[in-house]
Amino acid sequence: MTDKEKKHSELRLDLVSKDWVVIATSRARGKRPFEERRIPLDDSLEKCPFETMAKQESPTLAYLHGEQVMLPQSGSSPKDWTTISIPNKYPAFFPQKALKTKLVGPYSVMQGVGYHEVIVTRHHRKEIPDLPLPLVKELFDLYQKRYLEVMNVELINHIAIFKNKGFYAGASLFHPHSQLIANPVLDPDLRRSLNGSASYYAEHATCAHCVMLEWDLKDKKRVVFENERMAVICPFAPRGIFEMRIIPKEHSAYFEWITEEEKVALAEAFQVALRKLKKAMRDPDYNYFLHTAPADRQKYDHYHWHWEILPKTMNWGGFEVGTGIQISTIAPEEAAGILRKS
Ligand SMILES: [Zn+2]
Ligand SMILES: [Zn+2]
């Protein structure tokens, strides 16, 4: 690193969220600044609640090697399924027939109505990088099917699908799992993404994500992987180092409309992205989540669905918490280069 590089940092503006981020590579300490401490979760089979499913509630959806299967109310054998969705034992939201709201002083309060499910893949130790590709695709089959089922339920306006892997990413169980939460309100992160996309569309009459994607594919510096239908990109203005987005090349606002061919391509892109991340950062904790148009019966044709993968690499300091501005110590161009080679 030259002295000039040492004294250089850059503020970058995200096109959609309109958030500024800082790229300050001189803040990177040590040779591999992205290797962080980890707290291992208990990986014993005996204590894993998903090995027998004995104490779980009845599944809402299950697949066995690519075919949807009907399972008994309780006590299904582990051999009966390869991917399954079950109600969360400790839900943040509860199904209700009606929505009760009230005022508490100047505040609005609403009942926590909705669905909170855990989506589990069968193998105790195999995450997406290690599964056979058809089982990765099956996971996206389940996400799509469950999304379509839940989106038409009255009171449901928004469905979040996400994964926490590892202690620092918020996971409490070792066994590979992700979650689905459906509720009446839009989360602030998605709302900002939607508003940003709408205002970009109003100004430029085109989709901000399509513009970013076109430039990224031409520029190539931030492309980690692409196949015919999907691209894996390190975003120009990332919220953290090694952040990746998986985005369909064909413009579409609604993940639930994904085609079979796109799902195969998405499964491949997801697997490649997470394999590379695992290798480059030595199996980091991470979150992934879906950004898609909400299910509130409004039109969001300007939006462009995508998945985001955010490795959990650092704790937020006062600057990040107080300002909301993220500092990345590795530029996305460099991160993409490392990931491409991994
Ligand atoms: Zn297990
Ligand atoms: Zn688009």
Side-chain angles (χ1 to χ4, degrees):
M1 199 184 280
T2 65
D3 272 0
K4 203 173 160 215
E5 278 169 326
K6 264 186 209 157
K7 293 209 175 92
H8 174 81
S9 82
E10 202 169 270
L11 276 155
R12 294 184 175 188
L13 180 66
D14 187 86
L15 273 193
V16 178
S17 69
K18 295 281 196 292
D19 284 339
W20 287 98
V21 302
V22 180
I23 310 291
T25 47
S26 58
R27 278 179 59 82
R29 273 158 282 185
K31 263 199 170 141
R32 298 175 75 94
F34 43 86
E35 268 175 29
E36 295 287 320
R37 299 163 290 139
R38 260 151 233 156
I39 295 182
L41 295 167
D42 185 348
D43 66 348
S44 63
L45 269 175
E46 299 71 41
K47 285 194 201 142
C48 177
F50 303 135
E51 293 309 309
T52 64
M53 289 284 179
K55 291 185 184 140
Q56 302 297 324
E57 292 187 47
S58 40
T60 50
L61 185 60
Y63 285 82
L64 178 65
H65 294 297
E67 298 289 324
Q68 197 186 327
V69 284
M70 295 294 287
L71 290 185
Q73 288 288 309
S74 62
S76 61
S77 147
K79 291 199 187 84
D80 294 343
W81 56 272
T82 42
T83 309
I84 199 169
S85 181
I86 47 175
N88 193 312
K89 278 192 89 172
Y90 308 99
F93 296 90
F94 301 83
Q96 303 278 346
K97 291 262 182 294
L99 185 63
K100 288 192 191 126
T101 55
K102 61 179 178 184
L103 284 174
V104 178
Y107 297 103
S108 302
V109 176
M110 199 194 285
Q111 234 178 357
V113 174
Y115 296 84
H116 189 171
E117 298 181 357
V118 185
I119 293 148
V120 185
T121 46
R122 182 62 212 97
H123 202 287
H124 185 69
R125 291 185 192 281
K126 285 186 180 165
E127 292 278 359
I128 286 176
D130 321 303
L131 287 172
L133 196 55
L135 287 184
V136 181
K137 196 241 170 197
E138 184 176 276
L139 181 61
F140 289 97
D141 286 336
L142 190 145
Y143 287 160
Q144 181 189 24
K145 181 93 203 272
R146 201 60 198 126
Y147 192 108
L148 287 165
E149 286 171 355
V150 169
M151 70 178 281
N152 289 317
V153 175
E154 214 177 325
L155 306 176
I156 297 301
N157 289 321
H158 173 44
I159 299 153
I161 301 175
F162 61 96
K163 177 179 176 72
N164 308 330
K165 185 194 168 280
F167 177 82
Y168 284 115
S172 50
L173 288 170
F174 173 84
H175 192 115
H177 65 286
S178 44
Q179 301 180 58
L180 178 149
I181 288 184
N183 67 40
V185 298
L186 303 194
D187 65 75
D189 192 45
L190 180 66
R191 187 186 296 279
R192 232 154 25 118
S193 189
L194 289 165
N195 290 345
S197 160
S199 70
Y200 191 93
Y201 192 88
E203 209 175 313
H204 303 273
T206 183
C207 159
H209 285 96
C210 282
V211 170
M212 290 190 283
L213 184 63
E214 197 190 338
W215 185 60
D216 281 332
L217 291 176
K218 208 188 291 167
D219 190 47
K220 295 214 184 307
K221 287 187 201 134
R222 285 163 305 278
V223 179
V224 176
F225 174 79
E226 63 175 310
N227 56 30
E228 210 181 308
R229 293 169 200 277
M230 297 287 151
V232 182
I233 307 282
C234 287
F236 180 79
R239 284 190 284 179
I241 58 171
F242 289 91
E243 177 181 346
M244 283 184 274
R245 286 190 194 151
I246 305 178
I247 183 156
K249 290 183 175 176
E250 184 101 357
H251 177 85
S252 164
Y254 310 95
F255 166 72
E256 67 271 23
W257 291 359
I258 188 172
T259 64
E260 283 299 302
E261 296 75 35
E262 279 179 320
K263 255 187 292 176
V264 173
L266 178 62
E268 186 198 27
F270 232 100
Q271 183 168 63
V272 171
L274 288 176
R275 269 184 188 161
K276 286 175 174 295
L277 186 69
K278 188 177 176 181
K279 224 170 140 196
M281 294 182 73
R282 299 196 197 166
D283 204 11
D285 294 354
Y286 62 80
N287 301 106
Y288 71 60
F289 48 89
L290 171 66
H291 268 178
T292 185
D296 60 357
R297 291 133 194 112
Q298 310 287 318
K299 268 194 138 342
Y300 293 96
D301 291 338
H302 59 82
Y303 200 57
H304 195 134
W305 69 259
H306 57 275
W307 290 83
E308 300 194 11
I309 302 172
L310 204 52
K312 207 79 189 173
T313 50
M314 50 194 110
N315 294 324
W316 280 23
F319 181 70
E320 286 87 346
V321 176
T323 63
I325 296 180
Q326 307 299 307
I327 300 177
S328 284
T329 51
I330 297 176
E333 292 76 18
E334 191 190 338
I338 295 171
L339 289 164
R340 272 197 303 273
K341 281 187 228 127
S342 296

